[in-house]
Amino acid sequence: MAKESISHLFWSCDLPAWAWSFIGKWWSINSLIHRNASFNLALILGLKKSKFIKPVWHLTVAATLWSIWLARNEFVFSNTRLKADTLQELIFVRIAKWGMASGVLSFAYDPTWRINPIGAISLHHHQLRHAYWASRCEVYDIICMSDAAWVNNCGGVGGIIKLNTGKLLYCFSGPSNSFNVHEAEVLALIHILNKLRSICSPNDKVVICTDSTVAINAFSQGLKVDFPLLIPDFDVQKLLDNSVCLNFIPSELNDEADHLAKGGINRLTTKYFWASRD
């Protein structure tokens, strides 16, 4: 008898071959249906790169692999061969339970999820994003979004300043001369704080949303603690004490600023848009 291999166990044997064919059709991924001859987990996990889709895709891959493994054990130790539709249902159930437990997937019992996973995820993301920014608009007069990106030792920064009516006052996207992504995140916030000096009135309530806890902590402790070389030539603390506050936002909900930051990596100079408040 030939030795079992990972590729045969998780990929080319009849049951896993059916499972991956089902997953490929369900997620509309042709590369899984017309797949390579050998198992490549890194390649499979990398098929979805969107911040809000990737975690659900990774959950789906994990549930599929675990279901295949348990089905294999059922056959080896109990001589019980699972039917394809039973394996499919087990994959659905595990995704739902693991997703609810981890907070990655809270809508696995929505019928749309079983028909169009990308559509269901996108709709859920849109609803979460809308609810988050609506809640900010109810509390603050001016809403800002800030982010940084880092690829191959190159940084980019981006951000947006809006009124709570939705009117865009300022946005920017450009390269960063920082040494790491944390410095880039701090510099992006400093850039927005500097622009707010000419936008804010004394009675404005302002929030800057960032997905960097490092940057938020740096401003909370004072930049001189961890980023002394980045201290600007204006009083940051005065702004934060009076009218501006920093809020953490999950990175998947900060996609507007994220897009601007990633675009800024390849720019030679900062591109910006400025509009009057009136």
Side-chain angles (χ1 to χ4, degrees):
M1 180 180 294
K3 290 184 178 180
E4 180 67 284
S5 68
I6 291 177
S7 186
H8 180 263
L9 170 60
F10 288 115
W11 196 249
S12 59
C13 191
D14 289 346
L15 199 61
W18 178 89
W20 289 116
S21 179
F22 155 68
I23 296 295
K25 291 176 182 176
W26 180 32
W27 280 75
S28 301
I29 304 175
N30 291 331
S31 56
L32 272 180
I33 300 172
H34 307 291
R35 62 193 185 283
N36 295 325
S38 59
F39 177 67
N40 187 329
L41 181 58
L43 180 63
I44 295 172
L45 291 174
L47 289 174
K48 296 297 179 183
K49 303 184 185 301
S50 167
K51 277 188 177 181
F52 61 92
I53 292 177
K54 181 168 67 173
V56 184
W57 171 243
H58 285 185
L59 174 67
T60 300
V61 172
T64 302
L65 290 172
W66 185 240
S67 298
I68 291 170
W69 173 254
L70 293 181
R72 177 259 188 195
N73 287 344
E74 282 288 312
F75 177 69
V76 171
F77 298 111
S78 302
N79 198 30
T80 300
R81 187 184 294 272
L82 289 183
K83 295 181 179 179
D85 57 349
T86 302
L87 179 61
Q88 174 182 322
E89 190 59 31
L90 287 172
I91 291 173
F92 277 135
V93 169
R94 287 180 177 123
I95 291 172
K97 289 186 175 181
W98 293 0
M100 294 291 287
S102 63
V104 170
L105 185 66
S106 60
F107 50 92
Y109 296 104
D110 181 343
T112 306
W113 163 248
R114 292 201 178 201
I115 300 171
N116 180 8
I118 298 294
I121 296 169
S122 299
L123 177 60
H124 180 70
H125 170 72
H126 173 77
Q127 291 171 337
L128 285 177
R129 183 174 174 277
H130 175 77
Y132 178 86
W133 292 116
S135 69
R136 301 299 86 189
C137 290
E138 290 176 359
V139 177
Y140 298 97
D141 303 301
I142 297 177
I143 297 92
C144 311
M145 312 166 197
S146 174
D147 204 2
W150 194 263
V151 178
N152 298 327
N153 293 320
C154 294
V157 291
I160 296 169
I161 301 175
K162 290 182 177 180
L163 292 176
N164 58 5
T165 59
K167 180 180 179 179
L168 178 64
L169 297 179
Y170 180 76
C171 71
F172 70 98
S173 173
S176 173
N177 60 356
S178 54
F179 289 100
N180 54 57
V181 69
H182 299 309
E183 280 195 5
E185 295 278 9
V186 171
L187 287 170
L189 286 172
I190 290 174
H191 185 88
I192 286 184
L193 285 164
N194 188 32
K195 295 301 176 183
L196 286 172
R197 294 165 66 204
S198 60
I199 293 175
C200 294
S201 66
N203 296 323
D204 282 331
K205 295 177 64 177
V206 185
V207 63
I208 306 177
C209 300
T210 174
D211 56 24
S212 172
T213 56
V214 171
I216 291 175
N217 290 337
F219 281 93
S220 175
Q221 298 168 3
L223 292 178
K224 63 181 180 181
V225 176
D226 293 317
F227 299 94
L229 298 180
L230 302 185
I231 297 175
D233 59 359
F234 62 92
D235 193 344
V236 169
Q237 202 56 48
K238 183 178 180 180
L239 283 170
L240 296 177
D241 288 342
N242 291 340
S243 59
V244 180
C245 70
L246 299 179
N247 273 191
F248 172 78
I249 178 176
S251 60
E252 62 270 17
L253 300 183
N254 200 27
D255 43 5
E256 286 187 76
D258 175 69
H259 177 74
L260 291 169
K262 288 178 177 175
I265 292 176
N266 299 317
R267 297 187 190 279
L268 297 178
T269 59
T270 299
K271 181 179 180 181
Y272 64 89
F273 166 83
W274 185 278
S276 66
R277 186 166 179 174
D278 298 328

